[in-house]
Amino acid sequence: MTIVGNFIGGKITHSASNETIPVYDPATGKVVRELTQSTAAEVEKAIEVAHAAFPEWSKTAPLRRARVMFNFKALMEKHREELAALIVSEHGKVWSDALGELTRGIEVIEYACGIPHLIKGENSPSVGTGVDSYSLMQPVGVVAGITPFNFPAMVPLWMFPIALACGNTFILKPPALDPSASVRMAELLKEAGLPDGVFNVVHSSNEDAEQLYKDPRIAAVSFVGSSGVAEHIYKTASAHGKRVQAFGAAKNHAIVMPDADLDATVNAIMGGAFGSAGERCMALPVVVAVGDDTADKLIARLTPLI
Amino acid sequence: MGPVVSAAHQKKVLGYIDKGEQEGAKLVVDGRGIQVAGHAEGYYVGGTLFDNVTSDMTIWREEIFGPVLSIMRSSDYDSALQLVNSHEFGNGSAIFTSNGHTAREFVQNVEAGMVGVNVPVPVPMAFHSFGGWKRSVFGALNVHGPDGVRFYTRMKTATVRWPSGQQTVSEFSMPTLG
């Protein structure tokens, strides 16, 4: 049985504890892989490695950092099907959905390739006699990302391409339910030319991951998950001096007016409510139909499709 | 549509369907007990449809994260909008209409961070930023796009003079440069 490892300092590593947890294929209920479980000390080691890698990476010219992202995009496209297969085997989403998630994630890498332009500051010559003023946008340091099970590739890709392109180093704690895509992306980043220690993946219990919200070497935390955990992370990490963005739960509503194009609306609702089995924070689980006639017509069209 | 992600989550979603029935919503399509050929042990939940859902119900209030669609009925646009805005989460929202005025009003007044007009899943593109309102988000900056760059950088502002004997006296008051 394959063990999904950490990726720390440019290498796949397994916890010295030899502790693992099973990863299941939701379509069959069978164990497909084992996932290494790091000790608290090993999480701390990842922080140390990312911290040590920061000075050199942050001084690398943005243009050179962008070139790594260009290479990474090419490798992600080359290995799309391999990544989609990993996602499907652990998350259970259908093949086209896995490819779709990768496309949206790769689009963020494309955006990050423009970093030399994106981090330009502002410039005001002659604010006083012989005095000029300008601003710089500098990296913050080591950044932590904690991501949810529903988009094992896309949500990490929302975070790390931009974080790395800006000159930060990164520690990703991916979802335990579907961890493999993250580790594969770490390998591809190395192949793309990213120096060791700049991007790290660590698997641990939530308890041992709390260090990421408290360790003074971590400057920023990005989280996507439930609102309860989002609030906890926001409060904990903020209290420890970090900047935090924590995205939580959703209950998206759609208002359907009597003048809506009903057939198009029904198609839209089907995809929104049932795509990815509704496991999206942008799913569409509630429809507010204006007028009983609208509601009756919607239900009549939806029922046979569902 | 595939299975849900885990046995525990499957149980949770099925529990919500039970709850919806118990609390008086009309179960139009029942996704419980679905069997997928060749995948007897998979964590499948079938597409489920409830009608006459109201805002006092658990299935309205809580995020189910499964293939369960709730239909609510409203008599007019204003009360529909009020209902939408009364929810504690404000991630995304959508309106389906052919009336530009209604759509514009909705985009302006809905309390959500990501809005769709005739688009069910209005996830912003990579070069915009993703994020909701209210209890869907904790923090000041959205993710990816321009907000992503702002979140992952810190500003430093420099004020620079290359003097050649210009500063002849010390300046103790607040510097004004002009």
Side-chain angles (χ1 to χ4, degrees), chain A residues 134 136 138 248-249 251 259 291, chain B residues 62 74 97 135-136 154 156 158:
Chain A
Y134 59 93
L136 303 94
Q138 298 194 317
K251 192 78 174 184
D259 61 28
Chain B
E62 294 180 14
S74 185
T97 181
R135 215 175 142 70
S136 293
R154 48 189 167 172
K156 177 184 288 175

Side-chain angles (χ1 to χ4, degrees), chain A residues 55-127:
Chain A
E56 201 174 315
W57 180 243
S58 64
K59 290 188 177 73
T60 305
L63 190 61
R64 290 197 184 283
R65 299 196 299 244
R67 294 214 174 108
V68 173
M69 287 301 133
F70 273 106
N71 294 340
F72 180 52
K73 172 189 147 87
L75 286 165
M76 287 290 291
E77 284 174 342
K78 182 173 167 195
H79 293 274
R80 271 185 100 209
E81 302 211 333
E82 184 196 335
L83 285 159
L86 286 173
I87 293 169
V88 169
S89 73
E90 296 175 353
H91 175 282
K93 63 177 70 177
V94 300
W95 182 252
S96 57
D97 208 9
L99 288 176
E101 123 164 50
L102 286 163
T103 296
R104 294 302 297 258
I106 290 170
E107 284 166 4
V108 183
I109 308 172
E110 291 170 354
Y111 179 76
C113 288
I115 202 70
H117 172 69
L118 293 171
I119 53 165
K120 283 177 184 168
E122 296 182 307
N123 185 18
S124 295
S126 297
V127 296

